[in-house]
Amino acid sequence: MGLNLPPGQPAGSFLEAFFAATITALFRYSPRQFAQGELVLAPVFPVVLVALLLLAALALVAYSASRLQALSRRDRIFLALLRSGVLLIVAGALLRPSLLLSRAVPQRNVLAIAIDDSRSMRLTDLPAGSRLSAVQQRFADSSALVRRLGDRFVLRFYRFAGTASPLPRVDDLTGHGTRTDLAGALAGIRQDLADLPLAGVILVSDGADNGTSDLEPSLLALRARRVPVFTVGVGRKQFDHDLGLERLTLPPTTLAGGGVAASVLLRARGAGGDSIQLAIEADGRLVGTENTVMPRDRELLSVSLRIPPLEDGMHRITVRALPLRGESVTENNLVDGLLQVRPAGEKVLYVEGEPRPEFAFLRRALMADSAIQLVGLLQSAKGKYLRLGVDDSLELRDGFPVTREALFRYRVLVLGSVEASFFTGDQLRMLADFVSRRGGTLIALGGRGAFAEGGWSGTPLADLLPITFESRATGSAPDAVELAVHPTSAGAVHPALWLGPGSASLRRWDSLPALTAVNRFGQIRPGATVLLAGKAAGGNDIPVLSVERFGRGMAAVFGVQDSWRWQMSPLLPVDDVTHSTLWRQLLRWSLDQVPSRVDAGVLPDHADPGQAVEIVARVADAEYNDLNDAHVVAHVTTPSGVERELPMEWTLRDDGSYRASYGADEVGSYRVVVESRRGADTSRSAATSFVADTLGADIGRAELRTSLLQRIADATGGRYYSLASVDRVVDDAQYTAAGIVTRDAHDLWNIPVVLLFLVLLLGVEWAFRRFRGLS
């Protein structure tokens, strides 16, 4: 037999209400009142006297029970326990337990009602229509809920998306906000009502939070003021048949002249086995498509995308998914991001300690890529060097750079088969600084003069690499091992190792000939990632390509000595471009990770119209020491072409970090150029951009997040409600310790459950005595 639920009332809410009503009937007060209140004692007699009387009474009960020889020992104990229970209830009544409740004084406190006004609230996943319309009906000025709340509190309405602002009328909600920043909304309301007696906050949202602020400080601040937050969840917890694009991953910047590897996180429910069609747009222009099949055994899928070469500058990349058949919510089928394309001409330094084919084939692979300038320093004999690709006769004239300023002009450093003795002690320390301080990328290749075989053990080089190696005698002739190279699970989705669309990339890797390695490695360091592994005949997988963040930069080990075989193997077609494609992508990816002397960004890079954004910059000198005394200015060009100049101030918290705030009052794309000057140092700049419009990414995952809203309520002493059960907030909100309150003590000795237990014990004793034939 089913439950007859009220219209629109979920089974969970009905059972919860039934349980609360039962508790209230038995204990006279609701669970919320017990949770909010404080238990105190107001004894009729001193506690010591009550305890002595209780002990004497219990002793008398025990004595009288022992005199009943007509009963068995077990029956005497049972009868004594019944009488002791009655005495305990009487003693408890003499202690007069009371529930001390704080109640808001009517019309003397403010109750804030904050309503989510972001795009996700426009989803039409409720029987009544959109989430926003359902909220407007519930919280309209003429609604019974608002009238009842208004009888007890002074109501202040707020709308929020990125920030909170006063809401004159609930009908003014539009659902155009591009973010849902719960932390920012709570902090803004608390600050706005700091001088008023705030009794509580009613937060109405679907919980689709994508703000950049940390939620915990806002919750701690409200808890310190003892202000409860009553959260109201809106929307469905799960879409039965839905496709959503949750995250578009793009490099922060990329080098001009080449394609860009990106990925999008696809979430599909009820679409296992369906073909998903994705369209890729750059600045509103279709530049590519991608088709994928959704697996039947999972709901999340990362899809690799390829964006064709774009011109220098900032581009808005949009990925759209064609709706599924029967899909009711299509607003989350779109995600976008910003991509900055840097001008060509960035330098990579390749250092080789012995003549071998690796550099020649690498140089040939990069000949078609004019964006990368490969500079080679090859040792032909002791103290003799061959320089290739240098800008002038002075570059690398004396061999490897001897100053940090000279070394730090390069962004990526590739070390071939180079023994540690090739460098001085200071140059070895410079190599570590190149990665940790400058933020450069170091790629160490395998070879008989590299790693342990080249005497690298115990040097600063050994400390920064992602894999360990054992000491070996320099100059020994290690044996070569053939390795069948294949990508790991991390490498299969890595943009640098992409050799074709979808599964074609893995098939291409499986078809490549084996390479050889002469170096012996130890363990992968914690935090390092293996992208390529190799399997020797009859052996286990060993790392071939591994990477690790080190300080501000990155170190990688490509532990084979002959990647050129992927160009010259007779097993491959003459026109095969695997070798050149791999190296171009690996070096471009490495270059994209490297910072410049001036780096700039905007938080968030996608804002609401009128929202303030933070322009951030990091400034360093020629040796990449952080500068705190530079003159830094941001030049902002609005969508209408007006340029505004903003001075940027050192943040005082982080060395070399500067910030400025800007209000995005126009809709469209903004270009930002950050310039830095310091003394005689010439001006240096970095470009970035951001977008202000109503097409945000807040609905990427817009299903109701009950757990987050429940956590907010629990952390502040509030309570979570569904939209159908929100009427209960009227009674719950009045019991608060914040604002102007009265404290009343309510007796608990005379609550119904006490009388029920007393009658039950006396009735059982009477029935037991009659059953045993006692008078």
Side-chain angles (χ1 to χ4, degrees):
M1 182 175 65
L3 292 171
N4 293 321
L5 303 182
Q9 181 87 326
S13 299
F14 176 78
L15 293 175
E16 182 183 353
F18 177 77
F19 173 77
T22 303
I23 294 296
T24 304
L26 291 174
F27 292 88
R28 187 175 295 168
Y29 305 104
S30 67
R32 169 71 184 169
Q33 291 171 303
F34 277 102
Q36 182 66 31
E38 178 184 354
L39 290 175
V40 296
L41 297 177
V44 177
F45 304 109
V47 176
V48 175
L49 179 58
V50 173
L52 291 175
L53 291 174
L54 177 63
L55 289 175
L58 291 175
L60 182 60
V61 166
Y63 174 75
S64 62
S66 66
R67 302 276 297 174
L68 299 174
Q69 299 299 325
L71 298 178
S72 66
R73 183 172 181 272
R74 185 174 62 181
D75 288 346
R76 292 198 299 270
I77 293 175
F78 178 69
L79 187 60
L81 289 176
L82 291 175
R83 292 174 176 176
S84 297
V86 173
L87 291 175
L88 288 174
I89 291 177
V90 173
L94 291 176
L95 292 176
R96 281 194 66 191
S98 301
L99 181 65
L100 192 62
L101 283 173
S102 297
R103 185 193 296 264
V105 177
Q107 293 300 316
R108 298 288 302 278
N109 296 278
V110 174
L111 180 68
I113 301 177
I115 302 178
D116 191 344
D117 197 27
S118 64
R119 290 182 65 234
S120 59
M121 294 293 288
R122 294 161 59 187
L123 297 181
T124 56
D125 60 340
L126 297 178
S130 72
R131 300 173 178 180
L132 200 59
S133 62
V135 171
Q136 288 172 327
Q137 292 176 14
R138 271 294 198 174
F139 289 89
D141 294 341
S142 59
S143 67
L145 173 62
V146 172
R147 287 201 307 269
R148 293 176 61 197
L149 288 172
D151 291 340
R152 302 185 183 187
F153 301 97
V154 177
L155 303 182
R156 292 287 183 89
F157 283 85
Y158 291 85
R159 73 199 309 165
F160 73 89
T163 56
S165 60
L167 178 63
R169 298 186 314 132
V170 175
D171 290 341
D172 294 338
L173 294 168
T174 61
H176 284 158
T178 59
R179 288 194 299 153
T180 302
D181 190 350
L182 299 180
L186 292 174
I189 293 170
R190 176 177 54 83
Q191 294 169 5
D192 189 53
L193 301 176
D195 299 327
L196 297 176
L198 179 60
V201 178
I202 298 178
L203 183 71
V204 186
S205 175
D206 51 26
D209 185 274
N210 64 337
T212 58
S213 306
D214 186 5
L215 188 58
E216 290 305 320
S218 295
L219 298 182
L220 289 174
L222 289 168
R223 189 181 187 116
R225 288 185 57 182
R226 307 179 74 178
V227 176
V229 179
F230 304 95
T231 55
V232 182
V234 186
R236 295 176 60 184
K237 294 182 180 180
Q238 181 172 305
F239 301 145
D240 296 329
H241 195 65
D242 181 63
L243 174 64
L245 301 182
E246 294 199 355
R247 184 176 64 249
L248 174 62
T249 302
L250 295 166
T253 65
T254 190
L255 195 58
V260 179
S263 66
V264 65
L265 186 61
L266 175 65
R267 176 180 50 81
R269 183 171 289 118
D274 289 354
S275 177
I276 310 297
Q277 298 180 357
L278 302 176
I280 309 167
E281 300 175 2
D283 304 318
R285 177 173 54 92
L286 183 66
V287 295
T289 59
E290 182 70 33
N291 292 333
T292 188
V293 176
M294 195 66 197
R296 297 183 182 276
D297 58 346
R298 63 180 189 268
E299 294 183 352
L300 288 176
L301 178 67
S302 179
V303 181
S304 298
L305 307 175
R306 199 70 179 175
I307 302 172
L310 301 174
E311 298 178 352
D312 300 355
M314 192 66 65
H315 301 274
R316 185 173 181 177
I317 307 299
T318 303
V319 180
R320 302 176 187 270
L322 296 184
L324 298 172
R325 180 180 300 174
E327 184 178 6
S328 58
V329 177
T330 60
E331 290 86 347
N332 56 354
N333 290 22
L334 175 148
V335 67
D336 62 4
L338 295 174
L339 174 66
Q340 181 183 355
V341 180
R342 307 189 308 275
E346 295 184 347
K347 302 176 75 171
V348 174
L349 175 59
Y350 184 112
V351 181
E352 185 62 80
E354 60 177 337
R356 63 177 190 162
E358 194 70 6
F359 175 75
F361 280 93
L362 176 57
R363 190 182 185 198
R364 183 186 301 176
L366 296 178
M367 286 182 63
D369 194 339
S370 59
I372 301 177
Q373 181 182 352
L374 183 64
V375 179
L377 179 66
L378 313 179
Q379 180 176 248
S380 57
K382 186 71 172 179
K384 303 293 184 181
Y385 308 100
L386 175 64
R387 297 175 297 154
L388 297 171
V390 295
D391 290 331
D392 52 49
S393 60
L394 298 179
E395 185 175 3
L396 303 177
R397 181 185 60 184
D398 299 319
F400 193 79
V402 295
T403 66
R404 283 165 175 76
E405 182 176 355
L407 178 61
F408 291 178
R409 292 193 183 105
Y410 303 96
R411 298 174 68 90
V412 174
L413 177 60
V414 181
L415 296 182
S417 182
V418 184
E419 295 181 353
S421 59
F422 178 89
F423 307 101
T424 65
D426 187 54
Q427 286 174 329
L428 288 171
R429 289 186 290 273
M430 284 168 49
L431 288 172
D433 289 344
F434 174 82
V435 178
S436 62
R437 187 201 300 176
R438 190 257 183 270
T441 300
L442 184 143
I443 303 175
L445 307 182
R448 62 181 182 178
F451 305 112
E453 291 73 13
W456 290 18
S457 300
T459 69
L461 270 177
D463 295 333
L464 65 89
L465 294 177
I467 191 169
T468 64
F469 43 82
E470 301 175 357
S471 286
R472 268 176 183 259
T474 305
S476 61
D479 296 330
V481 178
E482 278 202 346
L483 299 174
V485 179
H486 61 88
T488 63
S489 57
V493 296
H494 198 277
L497 307 181
W498 191 84
L499 296 181
S503 59
S505 179
L506 295 178
R507 292 195 299 270
R508 187 77 194 105
W509 278 105
D510 291 339
S511 68
L512 295 177
L515 303 181
T516 61
V518 295
N519 306 103
R520 302 296 181 265
F521 297 105
Q523 300 296 319
I524 289 290
R525 297 188 190 276
T529 302
V530 178
L531 300 179
L532 291 177
K535 182 183 289 291
N540 297 322
D541 279 357
I542 62 174
V544 170
L545 176 62
S546 52
V547 297
E548 181 186 30
R549 299 296 304 184
F550 187 84
R552 291 174 176 162
M554 183 175 297
V557 169
F558 193 16
V560 293
Q561 65 171 349
D562 49 7
S563 70
W564 56 269
R565 288 179 179 268
W566 286 339
Q567 178 66 49
M568 294 300 294
S569 172
L571 301 176
L572 297 173
V574 176
D575 58 349
D576 188 90
V577 293
T578 299
H579 179 263
S580 59
T581 299
L582 176 65
W583 269 109
R584 288 179 63 187
Q585 290 180 169
L586 181 59
L587 289 179
R588 280 179 167 271
W589 175 78
S590 301
L591 288 164
D592 288 344
Q593 314 302 309
V594 181
S596 301
R597 285 182 53 182
V598 178
D599 275 337
V602 179
L603 299 174
D605 61 4
H606 204 138
D608 298 336
Q611 177 186 347
V613 299
E614 290 288 328
I615 302 173
V616 297
R618 178 181 170 271
V619 180
D621 63 12
E623 294 189 356
Y624 281 79
N625 298 303
D626 294 322
L627 294 179
N628 298 332
D629 58 349
H631 178 66
V632 183
V633 177
H635 300 272
V636 181
T637 304
T638 68
S640 60
V642 177
E643 182 175 320
R644 299 177 182 175
E645 184 176 295
L646 296 175
M648 301 185 67
E649 301 292 336
W650 175 40
T651 61
L652 301 179
R653 292 177 300 176
D654 301 315
D655 289 337
S657 179
Y658 295 78
R659 284 180 178 260
S661 181
Y662 179 79
D665 51 359
E666 292 185 33
V667 174
S669 298
Y670 291 74
R671 176 175 171 79
V672 181
V673 177
V674 175
E675 290 187 347
S676 170
R677 294 186 181 89
R678 178 175 180 262
D681 196 2
T682 58
S683 173
R684 294 186 177 273
S685 64
T688 184
S689 68
F690 68 95
V691 174
D693 62 17
T694 59
L695 188 61
D698 70 304
I699 58 173
R701 189 171 187 179
E703 294 170 326
L704 173 60
R705 295 176 61 186
T706 305
S707 58
L708 175 61
L709 297 176
Q710 183 74 63
R711 181 167 72 90
I712 293 173
D714 292 343
T716 57
R719 191 174 180 183
Y720 170 78
Y721 310 90
S722 66
L723 195 60
S725 63
V726 70
D727 287 336
R728 298 205 300 271
V729 75
V730 179
D731 296 323
D732 293 341
Q734 64 178 320
Y735 297 105
T736 175
I740 301 174
V741 300
T742 59
R743 292 171 66 84
D744 301 317
H746 303 272
D747 287 334
L748 295 178
W749 64 269
N750 57 355
I751 60 178
V753 72
V754 173
L755 179 61
L756 181 64
F757 270 108
L758 185 61
V759 171
L760 178 65
L761 290 173
L762 292 174
V764 171
E765 182 188 3
W766 177 82
F768 178 76
R769 291 174 64 86
R770 290 295 301 269
F771 178 74
R772 292 303 186 189
L774 300 176
S775 57

